[in-house]
Amino acid sequence: MSFTMNDLALLAIALVIGWILGLMTSGRGRFKRLWQDEKVAHRTALKDREARLEASEARVRELERHAAPVSAGGASAATVAAAAPGRDDLSRISGISQREEVALNEAGYQRYGQIAALNAEQEATLEARLGLSPGTISRDDWRGQAVALERGEGKPGLLGRLTGAR
C-alpha cells in the first residue's frame, strides 16, 4: 500500500483535529470552571465599580451641599459673568467658548481691556494653555473684538444683522 503526499497531509490534519477535540472533551470541566470563574470575577468588578461610582456621587452631592450656589437655576456664562463684579463676559468674543472663558478667568484675564492688551508672547502662552492651535487668537482677532466690546460696540444681534445695523 502506498500513500501520496496528499493522503499523508489529510491524515495529519485528521489526527491534529482529533487530538484537539480529545483535549477539549477530556478537560473534566476545567474550561467550564474557568469560564464560570471569569464570570464571577466580572460580576465582582462591576459591583466594585458601581460602589466606587456611588461613593463618588455621594461625595459630589456633599460638596455641592456645602458650596455656595453660583446662581439660581441653569445660569448662562453671561449671567455668571454679570453677577461677578469686575468681570466681563469674555464669551462674547467670537472664538471664545464658555469653557475657554473659565480657563481665561483662571489665568487672570477677566476684562476686555486685558485681552486687548495681550502681546505676542502672552497670546502664545494662552493658546498653549487653552489647547488652541498657534495663531488662533490673532486669526480670530480677539484683541480687536475686545477693544470694540470695551467701547460698547458689541456684536450685533440677529435683528441687527438682518437690518444691516452695525
Side-chain angles (χ1 to χ4, degrees):
M1 179 184 287
S2 66
F3 291 103
T4 63
M5 286 303 283
N6 286 342
D7 293 337
L8 290 175
L10 288 174
L11 182 61
I13 290 172
L15 287 173
V16 168
I17 291 173
W19 178 64
I20 291 172
L21 287 174
L23 285 176
M24 288 174 58
T25 58
S26 70
R28 296 189 191 112
R30 180 178 64 192
F31 297 109
K32 186 176 182 180
R33 281 193 306 271
L34 288 175
W35 181 68
Q36 288 173 345
D37 291 345
E38 184 65 28
K39 279 179 31 181
V40 169
H42 180 70
R43 279 192 216 120
T44 305
L46 287 177
K47 286 179 184 177
D48 289 345
R49 185 187 71 186
E50 291 297 323
R52 285 194 317 268
L53 184 61
E54 182 58 38
S56 298
E57 289 173 351
R59 178 69 177 144
V60 167
R61 285 191 299 269
E62 178 185 342
L63 291 173
E64 286 175 344
R65 193 173 56 240
H66 291 349
V70 174
S71 62
S76 66
T79 309
V80 174
R87 278 193 187 166
D88 290 328
D89 182 12
L90 299 179
S91 66
R92 291 185 62 199
I93 296 175
S94 179
I96 298 180
S97 67
Q98 291 180 356
R99 179 189 61 83
E100 291 165 341
E101 179 185 11
V102 170
L104 284 168
N105 289 335
E106 289 173 354
Y109 296 96
Q110 300 171 348
R111 308 284 305 177
Y112 296 131
Q114 293 173 310
I115 300 295
L118 287 174
N119 61 31
E121 182 180 330
Q122 291 169 329
E123 278 185 12
T125 304
L126 273 179
E127 288 168 344
R129 181 178 185 139
L130 298 174
L132 301 172
S133 60
T136 301
I137 293 177
S138 60
R139 188 171 44 253
D140 289 345
D141 192 28
W142 286 13
R143 287 188 270 177
Q145 292 181 60
V147 168
L149 287 167
E150 192 171 28
R151 287 187 202 141
E153 304 168 6
K155 292 190 280 186
L158 179 60
L159 181 62
R161 282 183 272 167
L162 291 175
T163 60
R166 294 271 172 197

